[in-house]
Amino acid sequence: MATSSTPGPLTPGPLLLRKPVKIACIQLASGADKAANLSHAADKVREAASSGVKIVVLPECFNSPYGCDYFPSYAEELLPSPPSPEQSPSFHALSAMARDNNVYLVGGSIPELSQTTQSSTSSSDKPKPTYYNTSLTFSPTGTLLATHRKIHLFDISIPGKITFRESDVLSPGNTLTVVDLPEYGRIAVAICYDIRFPELAMIAARQGCFALVYPGAFNTTTGPLHWRLQGQARAMDNQIYVALCSPARDTSAVYHAWGHSLVVDPMAQVLVEADEKETIVTAELDGDKIEEARKGIPLRDQRRFDVYLDVSKGSKTGSEP
């Protein structure tokens, strides 16, 4: 997988977003057929790019159904990188989507299989499968820029509503992912439940990101409660853009995604929001809007690190191996 050096903090000065850019969140309808899902995603990326979009985002688990029962059977090996087409058809499909359409592509997420060696008392070591929820970001040339493994696993229990435990199958990643897009600036990529932990967003913002990008799949219990609210909160706290990309809702599936993919501006205003059906939502991002927000409400200059700690100090940032 791609690796990157840890970006340092940026001081006030040049625009975080060097020039305006159009972003698209593709609220994709996926089913049980992985090959069909990849082909359908390619069609939708092509459709988004035809409207002048330069940054495209796919949903969490876009190549498979979402659920602990599905992760192992749909998982693909990504290491050593690049994997072969047999090891990871999704890797190669995403690379081609980015290259063929000349876009930066945040490839939602896919289940990843990592074969690790587990020491034993027998004469040989046994490989132990480890699974991750992994997002791959590609450049307009189809080059892998960064890999994010979901850091915070979705383990919740709301009585009478929903119980879900990703940790029954998945392992967590260990790195906050910041990606350099040379023409534009930096973005941070995280996945779904990661958005509930504001420290990630604060660190990314203080390291000069102009946008936080979250492929996600909130459900019909947590979605109406917190999906839009979380997007607006991360934008408000950090005065940068936030993009949330969900799968379309499929009521015949085991897991019912909320949908409502959206983009929020640095003043926490929702620029565009989908309903629950398959669609593409787009928004124009402008670096001047970030500076306007930060000058009007100057949080950047008013923080009291003499009273509380700066969580960005000593953070582990870059890309998974």
Side-chain angles (χ1 to χ4, degrees):
M1 296 183 192
T3 59
S4 61
S5 59
T6 300
L10 290 186
T11 55
L15 292 179
L16 298 181
L17 175 54
R18 298 183 186 114
K19 61 181 180 180
V21 64
K22 190 174 183 180
I23 191 171
C25 293
I26 299 179
Q27 188 160 290
L28 197 68
S30 297
D33 185 329
K34 182 189 289 187
N37 293 338
L38 295 176
S39 177
H40 186 49
D43 290 341
K44 290 299 181 180
V45 171
R46 189 179 309 112
E47 181 182 340
S50 69
S51 68
V53 166
K54 292 299 180 185
I55 302 174
V56 179
V57 188
L58 291 171
E60 183 179 21
C61 288
F62 82 95
N63 71 343
S64 68
Y66 178 77
C68 291
D69 291 340
Y70 300 106
F71 295 140
S73 57
Y74 283 84
E76 302 178 7
E77 291 189 75
L78 299 175
L79 292 174
S81 187
S84 69
E86 292 73 30
Q87 288 174 307
S88 183
S90 300
F91 178 102
H92 291 274
L94 289 167
S95 175
M97 292 177 214
R99 182 187 65 246
D100 294 348
N101 296 287
N102 193 36
V103 296
Y104 288 100
L105 179 62
V106 179
S109 78
I110 64 172
E112 177 195 353
L113 166 63
S114 177
Q115 295 283 6
T116 58
T117 300
Q118 183 181 36
S119 296
S120 68
T121 56
S122 65
S123 58
S124 61
D125 291 338
K126 299 178 181 178
K128 176 186 176 183
T130 302
Y131 299 100
Y132 300 97
N133 190 343
T134 301
S135 181
L136 304 172
T137 300
F138 290 88
S139 77
T141 63
T143 301
L144 179 65
L145 294 178
T147 299
H148 178 78
R149 289 170 173 164
K150 190 173 187 177
I151 296 172
H152 302 93
L153 299 182
F154 183 50
D155 288 3
I156 69 164
S157 181
I158 302 175
K161 297 288 187 178
I162 184 172
T163 296
F164 203 97
R165 287 186 55 83
E166 277 189 327
S167 65
D168 286 346
V169 176
L170 300 177
S171 295
N174 296 302
T175 302
L176 187 157
T177 303
V178 172
V179 190
D180 283 307
L181 314 184
E183 306 97 309
Y184 302 110
R186 297 173 180 169
I187 63 170
V189 177
I191 299 173
C192 200
Y193 201 55
D194 285 338
I195 197 174
R196 291 186 179 271
F197 299 85
E199 295 88 348
L200 290 184
M202 287 188 283
I203 293 166
R206 290 176 199 169
Q207 292 187 350
C209 292
F210 68 82
L212 308 170
V213 179
Y214 297 92
F218 275 41
N219 53 71
T220 50
T221 296
T222 60
L225 287 171
H226 298 146
W227 173 256
R228 180 197 279 200
L229 182 62
Q230 290 283 354
Q232 289 181 291
R234 299 294 82 81
M236 180 188 69
D237 290 346
N238 299 290
Q239 299 175 309
I240 56 178
Y241 288 97
V242 174
L244 309 185
C245 188
S246 170
R249 191 180 309 166
D250 180 0
T251 55
S252 68
V254 174
Y255 185 90
H256 298 164
W258 173 236
H260 290 264
S261 299
L262 53 84
V263 180
V264 187
D265 77 7
M267 287 294 282
Q269 300 299 301
V270 176
L271 297 177
V272 62
E273 182 175 358
D275 56 17
E276 76 281 4
K277 303 179 187 68
E278 182 172 82
T279 188
I280 300 172
V281 294
T282 65
E284 296 279 354
L285 312 187
D286 187 339
D288 286 332
K289 297 298 183 183
I290 299 173
E291 284 306 303
E292 286 175 14
R294 294 183 174 193
K295 288 176 181 176
I297 306 175
L299 305 181
R300 175 176 56 194
D301 306 316
Q302 296 172 332
R303 299 194 186 278
R304 291 289 307 277
F305 295 133
D306 59 321
V307 176
Y308 43 80
L309 296 177
D310 180 354
V311 296
S312 67
K313 301 299 184 185
S315 58
K316 187 177 180 182
T317 310
S319 174
E320 292 282 356

